[in-house]
Amino acid sequence: MAAPAPAHILVVDDEPEVRAILRTGLEAEGYAVSEAESGAGLMGLLDQEPIDLITLDLRLSGEDGFTLAREVRARHNVPIVMISGKGDMIDRVVGLELGADDYIAKPFHMREVLARVRAVLRRYAPAEPAPAHQEAAKAERYGFDGWTLDIARRELKTPDGELCELTTAELNLLVILIKRPGRVLSRDDLMDLLKGHDWTPLDRSIDGLVARLRKKIERGNETPQLVKTVRGVGYVFAGQVRQL
C-alpha cells in the first residue's frame, strides 16, 4: 500500500529569515512546505493547490493578519497556527476567536512549533471508521433534525442520506453534544471532554471547532438552530435528539 502523502504546510511571513527557519524545521520532519510573503500570495496558493495547514504571521507588511485569518476561514476549512511577535494576551484571544487553531508568540522554539503543528493536524484528521470487530457490538445511533449519527461506524448522514465528512475533532464534539441535549456546556467542560487536548483556561480554540461543525450541520441557517451559543457561558445542543 502506498505511503500517505506528507501534509502540505503553507508558511506565511514577510521575513525571509523566519520563512527559512520554519521551512527547514518542517521539511526535516517530512512535511511539504510552500511559502508566501503576503496575503495575495496566501490566497493565491490556497486557490491553486490543497493546503493542510497554514502558519500565519499577524504583522505582514501593510496587512492585517486578523483580517486575512477571517478571509481564509470564510472560504476554506484549513487549520491556522498564528506565529507572531504580537504576544499580548488580547491578540492571542482575538486570534483564536477568529478561528485560529493555535497561537505561538515570537521568538519561538522550533520544537514547540512542530509539537503544535502535529497536534492541530491530528485534530483535523478525517474520522476513521471503527475496526470491523467493533461493528458487531451494539450500535449507538442517534437521530436529530433528519440527521443520523452512527457512533460505532463514526458516520454522519444528512437528511438526504448522504455522508457528511467530519474530522475526528468535529465528530468527537458532535458526539459530546448530542449525548447531552439541552445541557449548557461551558468551554472548560467541552475541553475536558475532548480528551487529549492540551489547553489553558484562556484557550478559545473550541470556538473555532464549534464554528466548523456548524458550517457542516447547519447549512443555510444564518442563526444557529442546533448548536446555540449561551452568551458568557458556552454552548448547548438544541436539536431534538432520539436514540435509534
Side-chain angles (χ1 to χ4, degrees), residues 16-36:
E17 297 84 359
V18 174
R19 295 201 306 272
I21 291 170
L22 289 169
R23 173 185 280 278
T24 300
L26 291 165
E27 287 184 338
E29 290 295 305
Y31 297 113
V33 180
S34 294
E35 298 179 22

Side-chain angles (χ1 to χ4, degrees), residues 63-129:
E63 297 182 88
D64 179 11
F66 291 129
T67 299
L68 282 174
R70 188 183 297 112
E71 290 177 2
V72 170
R73 270 281 167 258
R75 295 168 54 182
H76 302 274
N77 184 35
V78 59
I80 301 171
V81 175
M82 291 183 171
I83 302 179
S84 178
K86 289 187 173 183
D88 186 89
M89 184 56 68
I90 293 176
D91 288 322
R92 185 184 298 260
V93 171
V94 169
L96 293 169
E97 286 181 334
L98 285 175
D101 296 271
D102 214 333
Y103 189 114
I104 302 171
K106 294 179 181 177
F108 55 80
H109 194 292
M110 198 63 215
R111 289 182 64 182
E112 178 188 8
V113 174
L114 293 171
R116 292 179 181 267
V117 164
R118 282 193 294 267
V120 171
L121 287 172
R122 280 197 302 270
R123 297 207 296 271
Y124 272 75
E128 296 182 358

Side-chain angles (χ1 to χ4, degrees), residues 77 123-127 154 165-172 209 212 216:
N77 184 35
R123 297 207 296 271
Y124 272 75
R154 298 183 69 78
E165 184 176 334
L166 298 179
T167 66
T168 296
E170 290 163 355
L171 189 142
N172 290 344
L209 181 58
R212 294 192 293 275
K216 295 184 178 180

Side-chain angles (χ1 to χ4, degrees), residues 135-230:
E135 292 188 5
K138 182 179 178 182
E140 271 194 282
R141 297 176 67 243
Y142 293 86
F144 62 93
D145 291 65
W147 294 76
T148 303
L149 176 65
D150 188 322
I151 295 177
R153 293 179 177 272
R154 298 183 69 78
E155 290 181 351
L156 176 66
K157 290 188 177 180
T158 71
D160 296 328
E162 298 179 357
L163 283 177
C164 177
E165 184 176 334
L166 298 179
T167 66
T168 296
E170 290 163 355
L171 189 142
N172 290 344
L173 174 61
L174 179 59
V175 170
I176 288 168
L177 292 169
I178 68 167
K179 285 190 172 183
R180 299 163 180 82
R183 175 179 164 187
V184 178
L185 297 169
S186 69
R187 291 179 176 85
D188 287 359
D189 291 334
L190 290 171
M191 296 300 269
D192 284 337
L193 290 164
L194 287 166
K195 296 177 182 179
H197 185 80
D198 183 19
W199 66 282
T200 68
L202 286 174
D203 191 335
R204 302 295 294 273
S205 62
I206 189 66
D207 296 326
L209 181 58
V210 168
R212 294 192 293 275
L213 178 61
R214 280 172 169 164
K215 282 186 178 180
K216 295 184 178 180
I217 67 172
E218 305 217 42
R219 302 166 187 167
N221 290 339
E222 292 186 7
T223 303
Q225 301 298 313
L226 295 174
V227 185
K228 294 190 174 183
T229 301
V230 180

Side-chain angles (χ1 to χ4, degrees), residues 1-13:
M1 188 171 73
H8 186 185
I9 298 176
L10 174 55
V11 174
V12 185
D13 199 295

